[in-house]
Amino acid sequence: METMQRHEPWNAGRAEAIIAGLSRLEGATLPILHALQETFGHVPDDAVPLIAQALDLSKAEVHGCLTFYHDFRRA
């Protein structure tokens, strides 16, 4: 019997911890997006400004990456 993966409910503090743990990687945007989706089941819109601030990117740059790749779910 297949077990369904359980995702955590959105939590900004948890997201910030995930982002901080990966922000020093080169090209950190994609690893962060994957980790957030793995944790929460999708990448919430509320995560975009957190990622942008941590990586010194614009919200538009993060949003563009999130929407460009079809692997990511926003809801």
Side-chain angles (χ1 to χ4, degrees):
M1 186 156 131
E2 187 177 324
T3 59
M4 197 167 144
Q5 184 176 1
R6 303 235 182 248
H7 298 289
E8 298 176 26
W10 167 249
N11 178 295
R14 176 80 164 107
E16 288 170 345
I18 291 167
I19 294 165
L22 297 171
S23 64
R24 298 203 196 304
L25 293 176
E26 188 167 334
T29 307
L30 288 176
I32 288 171
L33 291 172
H34 281 290
L36 291 173
Q37 181 163 288
E38 186 174 309
T39 301
F40 301 113
H42 66 289
V43 182
D45 289 336
D46 289 346
V48 171
L50 301 177
I51 298 166
Q53 183 178 11
L55 300 182
D56 197 26
L57 298 171
S58 72
K59 289 184 274 189
E61 289 173 301
V62 176
H63 184 266
C65 189
L66 176 59
T67 57
F68 178 79
Y69 293 98
H70 298 285
D71 294 343
F72 300 116
R73 293 182 299 280
R74 295 177 54 211

